Amino acid sequence: MRLISQNRRKNFLVFLFFFLAMGGTALFAKEGTQEMGQKMTLLVLQLAIIVIAARFFGIVFSRFFHQPRVLGELVAGMTIGPYALGAISLPLLNSPLFPRGEGFLPVTPELYGLAVIASIVLLFMSGLETDLPTFLRFSLVGTAVGVGGVILSFFLGALIAVLLLPGVDSFISPPALFLGALSTATSVGITARVLNERRKMSSPEGVTILAGAVLDDVLGIVILAVVVGISRVNASGSEMEWAHIGTIALKAFGFWIICTVLGILSANRLTRGLKWLRSNDAIAGVALGLALFLAGLAEMAGLAMIIGAYIMGLSLSQTDIASELRNRIHGVYNFLVPVFFCVMGMMVNFAAMKGILIFGVIYAAFAIMGKVIGCGVPAYLMGFNLRGAFRVGAGMLPRGEVTLIIAGVGLSAGAIGADLFGVAIVTLLIASIIAPPILVKSFDGGSGLRKESLLKKEEKGCRIRLEFPSPHIASFIRNRIIEAFENEEFFVHRLNIEGMIYHIKKEDIFITLQQKEGLIELSTSEENRTLVSLIVMEEILALKDLFEAVEKLKRPELVCEELAAGLFSDDEEKSE
Amino acid sequence: MNLKKVLSPEDIIISLEATSKEEVIKEMVDHLYKRGKIEDREAALQAILEREKKMSTGLEKGVALPHGKCEAVKELIAAIALKREGVDFDSIDGQPAQIFIMTLSPLNRSGPHIQFLAEVTRLLKSKEKREKILQASSKEEVLELFCS
């Protein structure tokens, strides 16, 4: 069964690849067969190198430097891109593998198109993985922290641009807007990994960061929509008035709110309709198609494509097909998303950054300050002490995909140049690299809450640790435990695609499950210890049945002897 | 979780006659069978005894949770029984069991089955609660103590 499921996933991946290739073929059909052939050959070769380099750098970063793979993928892009090795002319091609594109983009439109599709898949998945129940549960403190961080970092980012960049004299000039927007988004994946390693996922700091990051992403995406709108008006040469900005903001928020509300309200009906297809592959394919459709609609409405993709994912995130969708799209995601990060890395022009190196350092410092203070102060006001407030601020530091998408949109629209794009990527790298050690260190010491804090109740917790002789057995049992929780009508949510961290939730019950090689650890509040113990106990007892059934089948060595017999007999012997 | 949705006073045996583990299980299954909640008595009994074979459900402090999954029930059903003198139930702490909570749930059907057991167990953590339940004189009083 597992094999069939894997094959189906592969088929789906192959289908999508051909779909994209056909689309590309149709697009360039007009330009003559020969030219199209050359372009497609170059695209396929570029893709081959990108896929291999992104994987290689990702593994090196994760295995040897203990950094997230995405950072490795970005660095892969910087290394093989048109501003580095990719500029070298290759004898067989008679041109560089990554020739510089025309206009604002340093890569070819075909490659950028692929990165745009990857960003839609990425944001659709982000939407599907949005932890809405946790956000709603901690909505008050989460909103305060998220909004605080977004406002201050946007303001500081734009302020630095106005004060230090020549030619930028107002907050509504596109570079100021983009540098402000680039400071806002948070990537919770890195923080989640650190919190889990320190076993602080269910701590007041942990849940506050998780809730705050949900709002951060949403606000970051909506801000992008507003910024894109303003930049387009600016680019058309019209004079920008505050009333006009108000209209654009209203349009962005309006589209966002109407689509999200409609999406969530019609999610169950849509799910029922999708289930009519009676094939999980078809459901995943159509859902992804709808995400692309809504992305296109968002772009047509003058907003960014990723808004549509994110809304589609968010709408489906609380339905019963969400988990299946995540599993099915995982294959496409795994293939396309490293391509996205790598292409973004390719757009970093080191030479262009020379002139504004000092500006870059100041911008990175203010971007970090904006988050630590902007999130820390509301956290302090909501019941954390200074230590706890710093932990929340540090947890909101890492930047990720939304930042990259904002930067990519800014660069392609011509709102920011290659120099500022480079600054944005380097800030992202700095923030994401320094955040984990700061966060780990910040969790030394006592409670992060003030004595009178209302959040205190959350701090009591328990851990159940199960050690198994091998990672394979642990993975098998992890899947059984997850299935058992799903049978008990719990909502299981895999937190990040690379790690083995799961959130298991139902009403006010909140459990974290993590597997680290042969170790499975479940964390929850003391109140829910009995439930977790009983569910895990029943699953381990059920394994006894399984092992007994295997023993009853036949002695394993006899089965193996039967399988091994005849491996070396030649055709002659067989015919005898 | 609202325990009253699963339990009613008729599901409570205020004083068991049984004097051994097997008798306790049989008496509780019979009670549920007579109430028409089980279609196949033997299958239900078998499911619970099979589970007991793997590991006794006698926990600590006089509490036992005999349970099983079988096709003999259409939905989660439960019964509570008391035996003030105690019965040897191979409990983890070696103490005789006095409060028994039995559940049966359908095979291959999702639902908050273990969550029900966990909820009941959590209620019985308090020594005071356990003592009050054992002192209760009516089924209604027992149910009220479980649901309060």
Side-chain angles (χ1 to χ4, degrees), chain A residues 18-71:
Chain A
F18 277 104
F19 173 75
L20 295 176
M22 296 282 279
T25 309
L27 186 69
F28 299 108
K30 288 179 197 165
E31 298 179 23
T33 321
Q34 202 179 359
E35 196 188 346
M36 186 190 71
Q38 279 172 352
K39 278 188 173 177
M40 287 301 112
T41 310
L42 187 66
L43 180 64
V44 169
L45 288 174
Q46 286 177 337
L47 202 55
I49 299 299
I50 288 172
V51 169
I52 294 166
R55 287 282 164 202
F56 177 74
F57 275 76
I59 288 169
V60 168
F61 265 64
S62 132
R63 201 176 292 169
F64 300 107
F65 305 137
H66 305 290
Q67 293 292 334
R69 284 185 184 183
V70 289
L71 298 187

Side-chain angles (χ1 to χ4, degrees), chain A residues 169-370:
Chain A
D169 52 4
S170 122
F171 276 90
I172 54 168
S173 72
L177 287 171
F178 270 93
L179 285 177
L182 281 166
S183 311
T184 57
T186 296
S187 169
V188 80
I190 297 169
T191 302
R193 199 190 61 185
V194 175
L195 287 173
N196 225 56
E197 277 166 11
R198 298 283 311 209
R199 299 189 186 93
K200 295 290 178 191
M201 194 72 100
S202 325
S203 66
E205 291 93 336
V207 289
T208 303
I209 292 167
L210 293 179
V214 169
L215 197 73
D216 250 25
D217 268 358
V218 170
L219 288 176
I221 294 167
V222 176
I223 285 174
L224 171 67
V226 178
V227 169
V228 167
I230 296 171
S231 299
R232 280 182 186 156
V233 175
N234 257 346
S236 68
S238 316
E239 202 169 314
M240 181 58 70
E241 288 168 7
W242 282 104
H244 204 151
I245 295 174
T247 317
I248 293 167
L250 211 66
K251 198 172 144 191
F253 276 98
F255 183 87
W256 162 259
I257 289 168
I258 291 170
C259 286
T260 307
V261 170
L262 282 178
I264 290 174
L265 287 180
S266 59
N268 284 333
R269 191 169 294 176
L270 178 65
T271 308
R272 275 200 297 277
L274 287 171
K275 281 179 181 169
W276 173 83
L277 296 166
R278 289 187 188 173
S279 150
N280 286 338
D281 285 330
I283 290 174
V286 173
L288 190 55
L290 289 173
L292 289 163
F293 182 68
L294 208 57
L297 279 188
E299 185 73 19
M300 280 163 70
L303 306 163
M305 285 195 197
I306 53 164
I307 295 187
Y310 187 80
I311 290 174
M312 195 66 216
L314 184 68
S315 305
L316 293 169
S317 67
Q318 305 308 307
T319 64
D320 54 358
I321 57 166
S323 165
E324 195 57 44
L325 281 179
R326 283 196 294 267
N327 287 339
R328 301 276 155 179
I329 292 166
H330 195 179
V332 183
Y333 179 97
N334 258 349
F335 174 73
L336 281 177
V337 170
V339 176
F340 166 75
F341 285 111
C342 196
V343 172
M344 288 294 141
M346 281 182 176
M347 302 208 272
V348 177
N349 181 355
F350 301 100
M353 280 166 65
K354 264 186 203 161
I356 56 161
L357 211 59
I358 296 167
F359 171 79
V361 172
I362 297 172
Y363 176 74
F366 272 78
I368 289 165
M369 216 162 70

Side-chain angles (χ1 to χ4, degrees), chain A residues 81 131 147 179 329 347 384 395 414 424 428 530:
Chain A
D131 201 348
V147 170
L179 285 177
I329 292 166
M347 302 208 272
F384 286 94
L428 177 146
T530 319

Side-chain angles (χ1 to χ4, degrees), chain A residues 486-490 506 509 526-527 530-531 534-535 537-538 541 544-545, chain B residues 51 53-55 65 67 109-115 117-118 121-122 125:
Chain A
E486 281 173 341
N487 283 339
E488 289 283 317
E489 295 171 344
F490 277 76
K506 185 175 172 183
I509 305 171
E526 192 58 47
E527 202 182 337
T530 319
L531 172 73
L534 284 176
I535 288 182
M537 194 172 84
E538 288 303 314
L541 286 174
K544 261 176 107 176
D545 281 347
Chain B
R51 170 61 187 83
K53 248 194 242 172
K54 287 182 216 161
M55 183 194 163
L65 309 171
H67 61 274
R109 207 167 311 162
S110 59
H113 304 147
I114 305 285
Q115 202 187 345
L117 278 178
T121 312
R122 201 170 60 81
K125 271 189 175 173

